[in-house]
Every structure is written in C-alpha cells, then in structure tokens.
Amino acid sequence: MAANLKMDASQDIRTKTGGAYIPPAKLRMMQQSITDKNGEAYQRLAWEALKKSINGLINKVNISNIAIMVKELFEINMIRGRGLFCRAIMRAQMSSPTFTHVYAALVAVCNTKFPKVGELLIKRLIIQFRRTFQRNDKNNCINTVRFIAHLVNQSIVHELLALEILILLLDNATDDSVEVAIAFVKECGSKLTDVASKATAAIFETLRNILHDAVLGKRVQYMIEVIFAVRRDNFKDHPSILPELDLVEEADQTTHMLELSEDYETEDRLNVFKFDPDFQDNEAKYDSIKKEILGDGDSDENSDSSGGSDSDDEDSNDDSDGGDPGPTGTTDSSVIIDNTETNLITLRKTIYLTIQSSLDFEECAHKLLKLEINESQYEEMCNMIVDCCAQQRTYIKFFGLLAQRFCQLNPKFCVPFTEIFKNCYDTIHRFETCKLRNVAKLFAHLFHTDAIPWTILSHIKLNEFDTTSSSRVFIKILFQQLAESLGLVRLNARIKDVTLQEAFDGLFPRNEPQNTRFAINFFTSIGLGGLTDDLREHLKTMVVKQPNIGLDSLAANVKKEEPDSSSSSSESESSSDSNSSSNDSSSSGSSESSEDSDNEGSSDENDSDNRHKKSHKKRHRNSSHKHNSSNHRSRRNENENDKEERKLDRSSHRHKSSREDKSKHSTRQNHKDERRHLKERNDSDHYKRGLDVEESQHRSHKSRRESGRDSGSRRRNRSVSPDEHSKRHRRR
C-alpha cells in the first residue's frame, strides 16, 4: 500500500511539474516526503525550485537592489542553472529593453565568478542576432544588438564583435540596417571611441558617405544627422556605464573573444531537466564554491572573503575584513574647505540654466525649489535672479514675478533681497545705464507688491551731498515706476502713512531748508511734484519759525556794509559832478534841460526824504511799543531799522544816478535836434537851388518853342508833303 502511495506521488510529480503551478508549501512538503535525495523525483522538484528562483530574481532586479539580487543568485546553483539564467535574462531584456543596462551589470558580476555563464549568454545572443538579421526582424534585432552593446560596455565581450556587427550592417546599407546600426552606436559609441578610436572614425565616415549619397529615406538621413550630433557632444546623454552600475573593476572582469562568423553551440539541453546521477556530490561542490564567494557565516556583509574574491560582486560597502580605507575614507571630524569655489560656480550655473530654460516664472520657481538649495545659499540664488535681470537689454517682468514669488513663499528670501538693494544703491555708480534701469524696475515691482518691506528706503538720503547723478537716476526710475504701478494717489497715501515715516525721512527731508528745497525740486523735475505738498507746507512754516541770527554776527555784517555804501555814494557824486560840468560846457540848451531835471530830482529826493522820515517815525513808535515786550526783539527791530535806512540811502543814490542819466539824455537829445535842424536847413537850400535851375530850364525851353512857332508860321506858306510833315512831327 505504501509502495502504491510512493508511486502515485512520483507519478504526480512527473505530470504536474511539466507546466502546472505547485504552491511553494506543497512543493516543500513533497520534497520532504521523498527520502531518496538522488532520485529523479527529488531532482525534478529541485529543478523547478531553481527555475522559479532564477526567474523571480531577474524579474525583481533594478539599480537600487542589484547587490541584494546578486547575493541571492549566488545562493542557488548557478552552474546547474546557467541555461535557465541565460534564457530568463534574454526574455526579460526582450520584454523590457529599457532595463538592458541593469541586466548587463548583473551578467558582469556573475561573469567574474562564473565565466561560463557569460560565454553561453554571448553565444546565444550572436545566434539570435544572425537569426533576426536574416529574417529582417528589425525590433528584435535592435533589442539584441542593444544587449550586446551593453555587454561590450561592461567588457564582457571584446569590442571586435561590435565592429564586426557594424561592418555587417553598413556593408549593404538599407533603411532598416542603418537604423539598427545607429541604435547600436548610440549604446556603445562612447566605449568604442575610447578603445578603438580609428575604427570608430571609419564607421562614422561610412555613415557620412551614406548620408551624402542620399539613397536612403529622409527619416534615416535625419537619424544619421542625430548620431553625428550625439558624437559631437561626446555621447553625453549615452554614457557607457552609469556610476551606480559600475560594480566590477576592469582588471577583474573576464573578457570573451568571440567572432560573429563562427558557429556556436547554444547548449539548449541546459534549459530542460536532465537526471544527474552525481547530484549530491555536485551540490556539495557548489556549497564549497558558495562559501568561497559569500563567506562562511550567514552574514552578507563579509563579501571580501579570504579566497581573494572581488567585493564588487555583491556591491558591499563593508571593509572590515581587510584593506586600507580608500581616499574617501576620512573621519567625520575632518572638514574640506573648497577654496576654488567650485560648488558655488556649479550652483550659479545650475540656477542660470534653470532660469533661462523656463517658460514662465511659476515653472522656474518650481524647478528652483526642487533643487533643494540650503538656507546658506538663498542669498546666492537671489543674487543670480537680480544679475540675470540686470543683464537683459530691457526689463522683463518675468524676473520681478519670480522674485515676488520667492519672497511670498518664504520670508527668509526677503532678507537677501533687502541686502542686495542696499548694496546696489551703494555701488550704483558702477552700473551701466541699462543695468541701472532694470534693477530699479525690479525693486519697484517688489515694493509695489509688498514683497519686501518699505523700511529699507530709509537707506536713501536725498540731498545734494549724499547723492550722485547715478543714484538720482536710480531714485527717479524707482519712483516713476512706483507711480505707474500704484498711481500717484496711492503712492502719496503710502508716503503719508504714519507707520512708514522713518522710511521716508531720508527721501523727504525736513531737517534743513536746503535739503527740503532740494527734494522738492528733484521730485518736481521728474514729474512727481504732487508728492511734495507736505514738504512745501513744512518749508513755509520752517521759514517763519526759523531761529534768529546771532546779533554779534549781524552787527559785524552791518559794519562791513556801511563803508561799502559810503564809498559807492561818493563815487556816484563825483561822477555826477563830472557829468554836470561836461554838460554845462556843451551848450546852453542842454544846461537849461539839466537844471530842469535837477529841480525834478531834488523834488523827488525831498519826497523820498519825507517818506523816509514818516516811515522812520512810524517804525520808531512801533519799536518803542515792542521794547516793552522784550529787549531781544527791540534790538532786532533796531537792526531792521538800520537796514531800512540803508535801503533808503541806496534808493536816494539811485534817484541821483537817475537824475544824472536824465540830464545826459536831455543833452544828447538837444544835440540830435540841432543836427536835425541843420540838416533840414541844408535840404531846404538845396531844394530852392533845384527849383531855380528847373525854372531857368523851363524858360529857355519855352523861348525855344516860341521861336520854333514863328519859323513854322513862315513855312506854312510853302507846300509840304504829308511824309515830310510826319517826319517833322516825329522830330519834334
């Protein structure tokens, strides 16, 4: 009965393991129920478990877990399952070509320990390439050559195989063959350029000739142009090996030299189960190999075993079993100081390229935030935004909106922008005109959107001594842009805000009249005089309430002015005397006119003296009344009276000088009149002489006519022909 059960179990294994799914728990139970470890039933169950493990590990591998997957692969019998491994990885690559570089890295690690696995895979790939090339199966051919290209990059196969494939594809060029060749060159072109530059140059020269012949379609010609562009960029977007997948040192790798034209045995029998009479002995041998590879314990970290195996097989970072620490194995206490500022230059370059490659400010802000810049580098990013804005030919609102977005997202960005504003204003004389205008408009945008506080305007002192021409132009553009954005009414209300008076004390000074007038004139000249209404009122009240000047200095000024006025009066009198004497000697008519003018001048002088006396008495009464209030005010009034007296003296001197001018004018007028009379007299004499001459001529002419008439009367008695008569008439 027990024999029948064993036969049923073995029969069940033979029938179900051919394709039916057996749950793992049931499979383990079936293995435990079998007592003969060398029997066919047990080996078949072990084969099924091996196949499932290999397929599962290959399907789960990626860049992040490749080290773990390699360790688990080495746990199973890779020598017995090498056929299964090659078939599973080729199927996975065909279904997911984008993971080809990951599968190639996995094969590279396995090839260092089991070179037979790598050789078998390459043979099968060569056979598969031939088959797809002969059948014109372009998609499968491209996937196959891509896998071969990554095996070349990992140095599993020699680059001679890649060159043979390219020569075959470009020998009789068609659209499909050239497309496959371009896909192959993209993947391994960087590696071929490094190890076989002359051969690679020959391949590209062949592609250039194909392009010049223009035999192929436009699509393929564009693909050839693209591969030349990729070559010019040194295959920047198609590196041979990613840093995360560089798991094996080149010296530890086993490179297989296989040719494309040879016939190879693919060993398809390894894909199916085959009974092994020495199954237990072979398993024991592999256990010893596994211990050499993975180490004696269960620990996966001790991958550097004493057998000299490579640590890159499992991508282990534990160096506890031997070897000196690498160049990067420094202690945590050491600090590296970058005096070359390489990181800073790289950051600025990244920010600049991000700004220039963005379509709008929202996209740019999102990209810059994804860079995860440290708080210590916020100032550098703000500087880059301002510098990029300043370098433009005209102001672009993109930069103002970008700076506004950062300031509103995080208040920590406001501090760098305020410091940049102060530094820019302090060094504004070094800016070009275009740069100055762009920076002013950028900060005007930040002010009118309240992105940065208005209190930093207190850094500006608007007066004649603390400003330059460049700083005044900066203030002009800043406030004109604010007036354009806010409007004059809102801007004026913002300036009059009580909470912001400290910010505008420097721009609208009230400390000295000179600075106040300068600010009023400045804002009026730039068309913003409406902002200075309060300053004008303040200036009027400040002039009225201006403190009195010291009495000592005023008295000294009065003493200095008195000798000047006396000297000027004496000079005027001497000049008037000299002029009067010269006028008296000129003519009697002029002397009479000068006397009249003297009389008028004396009368004017008397009137002015009378007015002076009356005004003096009135001021004296007022001053006496004010003396009762304060002595200081009386002294000031006395000084004012002295000033008025000096003014009156000056006015009298002016009257004298005007009288002298009148006398001079009268003498000149008399001379002109005399000359005019003489001229009229001469003209009249000349006219009379002309009339006499005309009368004498008229008389002589009249006498001649009368004599002619007498002679004509005598001739009338003669017979005269009509012609003669007309001639005579003409003569007359």
Side-chain angles (χ1 to χ4, degrees), residues 661-709:
D661 293 337
K662 288 179 182 179
S663 63
K664 290 180 182 179
H665 179 69
S666 61
T667 53
R668 290 172 187 165
Q669 190 67 29
N670 291 331
H671 286 301
K672 287 181 181 180
D673 294 339
E674 288 177 359
R675 285 195 296 271
R676 188 174 68 252
H677 289 306
L678 289 174
K679 187 176 181 181
E680 290 176 356
R681 192 179 302 161
N682 293 332
D683 292 339
S684 62
D685 294 340
H686 180 71
Y687 180 70
K688 288 178 180 179
R689 290 193 203 99
L691 290 175
D692 294 338
V693 171
E694 288 179 357
E695 288 177 359
S696 61
Q697 290 177 355
H698 182 66
R699 289 193 196 101
S700 62
H701 182 65
K702 189 176 181 181
S703 61
R704 285 178 197 149
R705 280 191 301 175
E706 288 176 355
S707 61
R709 286 175 186 171

Side-chain angles (χ1 to χ4, degrees), residues 376-555:
S376 60
Q377 297 172 338
Y378 283 173
E379 184 177 359
E380 196 61 38
M381 188 175 71
C382 297
N383 272 318
M384 280 301 301
I385 295 173
V386 176
D387 291 343
C388 291
C389 178
Q391 295 300 325
Q392 303 298 322
R393 292 185 178 179
T394 57
Y395 173 69
I396 300 176
K397 200 174 181 180
F398 168 87
F399 297 99
L401 293 171
L402 181 62
Q404 175 192 353
R405 174 57 62 90
F406 277 109
C407 291
Q408 291 176 350
L409 284 175
N410 192 349
K412 294 180 181 179
F413 286 101
C414 297
V415 178
F417 277 111
T418 55
E419 295 299 326
I420 292 170
F421 177 82
K422 294 178 182 179
N423 295 334
C424 288
Y425 181 76
D426 293 338
T427 60
I428 201 67
H429 56 278
R430 302 176 186 172
F431 286 27
E432 298 177 358
T433 305
C434 182
K435 188 175 181 180
L436 185 148
R437 184 183 299 107
N438 292 344
V439 173
K441 289 185 178 181
L442 172 66
F443 283 107
H445 179 87
L446 295 180
F447 280 125
H448 94 265
T449 55
D450 293 327
I452 57 177
W454 288 66
T455 53
I456 60 173
L457 290 175
S458 60
H459 188 71
I460 301 176
K461 306 297 181 185
L462 183 58
N463 55 63
E464 189 176 359
F465 306 103
D466 294 336
T467 58
T468 61
S469 59
S470 299
S471 61
R472 288 192 288 271
V473 171
F474 178 81
I475 299 169
K476 169 190 170 184
I477 298 172
L478 179 68
F479 273 86
Q480 285 180 345
Q481 192 71 16
L482 285 173
E484 182 180 350
S485 302
L486 291 173
L488 195 61
V489 177
R490 291 176 60 191
L491 180 59
N492 203 0
R494 184 64 63 91
I495 293 171
K496 293 179 181 178
D497 191 355
V498 180
T499 60
L500 297 176
Q501 288 304 310
E502 295 181 359
F504 295 105
D505 284 344
L507 284 165
F508 300 93
R510 301 170 186 266
N511 51 358
E512 295 183 4
Q514 181 181 2
N515 297 339
T516 306
R517 290 191 190 95
F518 184 84
I520 292 171
N521 295 334
F522 173 78
F523 283 104
T524 305
S525 64
I526 65 174
L528 299 176
L531 303 178
T532 60
D533 294 339
D534 292 347
L535 276 185
R536 296 175 190 273
E537 295 296 331
H538 177 74
L539 184 62
K540 291 179 182 178
T541 57
M542 187 163 51
V543 170
V544 173
K545 297 180 181 180
Q546 186 178 5
N548 296 323
I549 304 173
L551 297 177
D552 297 334
S553 61
L554 181 61

